[in-house]
Amino acid sequence: IITDKDENVYVLGKTDIIDYPVTANAIDEVHNGGRDIFMTKLDPNLTSLHYSTFIGGSGTDIQSAIWIDQKNRIYISGFTNSDDFLPMSNNNESGKVKGTYDMFICRLDPVSEKIAKDPFRMAKLNRLDALKTVIKATPGLLKKTDRYGRSLLHWAVRYGNREICRYLLKSRDLIDRADNQGLTALHLAVMFKENEIASDLIDAGATVLIKDKAGNLPIHTASFHGNAAILGRLDKELNQIELKNR
């Protein structure tokens, strides 16, 4: 816990509670899985929530220290084993954790326009209207990928945002695009048991024959992650392909 020059109170901690209170201008409004860090700003009387956000990825994230500079920019350090840890600068040396845990340091600006206009966060936070606006202004965003090679569709699938997925499925070249691990949107959908989205993907033409870099088809990924509910649909698609090829 620290205070700034105006005596506002900043609390840094970690939580596995998915409904921990966050504010609308948070850099990350959604719990990422595992244990996330939180940073919360309160007024001097501890009666008003000025700002609150999650920080982290799908693994375990551990806070270490927080400090504030003269411009009230917030610096946080800690440790993470999340390969998808956010926030992360684009010039990060590697998108992968190199040890059991890696150290991180990040600077937060709660009113950052760059963060607010990040299309990947829009896909994650289900901000369809905002995403439509930035894509209309910059159509090339549909070809953009993050440091893991994941497209906007990958992000929307990962966080179960079906409405955004349906919008992005109009861009045919996104449907079977694979990330750096060879995972398509369909792989992610069955991995995270987003079976309605998986069915939408198949209906839109997603192939069930693409293997990831470990050699797994979507049906193998579904089986490995215990997603029995989608196995019948995937098996049906594979059988239909086999019949056509006879």
Side-chain angles (χ1 to χ4, degrees):
I1 299 176
I2 62 171
T3 58
D4 61 21
K5 59 186 178 182
D6 298 317
E7 298 187 357
N8 293 303
V9 178
Y10 297 75
V11 181
L12 183 69
K14 59 181 180 292
T15 184
D16 54 8
I17 300 173
I18 61 174
D19 57 354
Y20 181 84
V22 295
T23 51
N25 60 339
I27 62 166
D28 196 348
E29 298 177 24
V30 179
H31 190 275
N32 297 286
R35 181 167 291 174
D36 274 6
I37 296 167
F38 68 84
M39 197 288 296
T40 299
K41 177 184 177 182
L42 302 162
D43 75 295
N45 296 319
L46 306 180
T47 57
S48 178
L49 180 64
H50 286 184
Y51 181 77
S52 188
T53 186
F54 288 115
I55 300 168
S58 57
T60 298
D61 311 294
I62 304 169
Q63 82 285 1
S64 176
I66 179 172
W67 65 101
I68 302 172
D69 67 16
Q70 293 300 311
K71 296 182 179 180
N72 278 345
R73 292 178 296 192
I74 306 160
Y75 297 81
I76 292 171
S77 64
F79 300 87
T80 182
N81 66 4
S82 301
D83 284 335
D84 54 351
F85 180 87
L86 287 174
M88 184 76 75
S89 60
N90 290 333
N91 61 351
N92 173 48
E93 180 183 349
S94 171
K96 297 291 184 181
V97 173
K98 294 183 178 179
T100 304
Y101 283 89
D102 276 9
M103 185 177 182
F104 71 85
I105 182 169
C106 60
R107 190 184 82 186
L108 304 185
D109 179 357
V111 295
S112 170
E113 289 299 317
K114 182 178 180 180
I115 291 173
K117 294 179 180 179
D118 182 353
F120 293 106
R121 290 196 176 280
M122 293 175 186
K124 174 181 178 178
L125 301 176
N126 204 24
R127 294 175 176 168
L128 178 58
D129 290 340
L131 186 62
K132 285 181 177 179
T133 298
V134 297
I135 288 175
K136 184 177 181 180
T138 315
L141 286 176
L142 289 171
K143 297 180 180 180
K144 185 178 179 181
T145 58
D146 66 9
R147 65 186 184 279
Y148 306 111
R150 293 184 178 179
S151 67
L152 291 170
L153 182 59
H154 281 99
W155 275 70
V157 170
R158 166 64 182 86
Y159 291 98
N161 295 325
R162 191 180 185 189
E163 190 176 8
I164 288 184
C165 289
R166 287 178 165 176
Y167 167 69
L168 293 173
L169 285 175
K170 298 174 184 177
S171 301
R172 305 294 300 176
D173 62 336
L174 291 180
I175 295 176
D176 287 326
R177 183 177 297 177
D179 67 10
N180 296 345
Q181 294 178 298
L183 298 171
T184 65
L186 184 57
H187 281 97
L188 288 185
V190 300
M191 181 185 298
F192 291 102
K193 301 182 181 179
E194 298 291 349
N195 293 337
E196 289 184 337
I197 293 176
S199 292
D200 290 342
L201 286 163
I202 294 171
D203 291 341
T207 178
V208 295
L209 293 177
I210 294 179
K211 295 181 179 180
D212 63 20
K213 290 190 175 179
N216 295 313
L217 296 171
I219 194 168
H220 300 140
T221 301
S223 179
F224 179 80
H225 289 276
N227 188 0
I230 197 66
L231 291 177
R233 177 69 194 271
L234 295 171
D235 188 56
K236 178 182 177 182
E237 294 298 318
L238 288 169
N239 287 334
Q240 288 178 346
I241 292 171
E242 183 179 355
L243 288 173
K244 288 180 181 179
N245 291 335
R246 285 181 179 178

